[in-house]
Amino acid sequence: MSENHEHKHHILSIKTAGIILGLLLMLTAITVAVSRIDLGFMNVAAALALATTKALLVIMFFMHMKYESRFMQGIVFLCFLILAIFIGMTFFDLAYRGG
């Protein structure tokens, strides 16, 4: 049973990989810097926003989602959206919990 699938390999250039690596390191440094500032319950929101940005960079470039079909990108986006909703519900529950 042989299926004919065309697989196009997308190899990142060293320049692109270096730029993404630089962005990831910069965002990590910002995460550490923000964690040392007392923003109250907004520290969690800032950390989650930075972590999401880093995850999207990794998924888009190092996991090659940028080169996938729109359908596959939509599925991954839907998963991120559902995850964001659950994290948001948890965040607001903790932020506004009495006691």
Side-chain angles (χ1 to χ4, degrees):
M1 188 183 286
S2 174
E3 294 184 24
N4 187 10
H5 291 298
E6 276 191 44
H7 293 290
K8 294 182 181 179
H9 296 284
H10 299 280
I11 299 174
L12 290 178
S13 69
I14 292 176
K15 180 181 177 183
T16 302
I19 290 170
I20 299 303
L21 175 62
L23 286 170
L24 290 169
L25 291 172
M26 182 183 68
L27 288 168
T28 300
I30 292 171
T31 302
V32 171
V34 168
S35 73
R36 297 173 191 263
I37 301 169
D38 184 21
L39 300 174
F41 72 92
M42 289 304 292
N43 276 89
V44 175
L48 287 173
L50 288 164
T52 301
T53 304
K54 291 187 289 186
L56 287 174
L57 283 172
V58 169
I59 289 170
M60 292 301 289
F61 291 96
F62 295 135
M63 295 176 70
H64 304 283
M65 189 54 60
K66 179 179 180 182
Y67 308 106
E68 288 292 335
S69 67
R70 293 283 181 209
F71 176 75
M72 187 63 72
Q73 289 177 353
I75 295 296
V76 171
F77 175 76
L78 181 63
C79 292
F80 258 97
L81 182 64
I82 291 169
L83 178 64
I85 289 169
F86 282 115
I87 289 173
M89 288 176 168
T90 303
F91 173 72
F92 285 113
D93 179 51
L94 292 173
Y96 296 108
R97 184 177 288 184

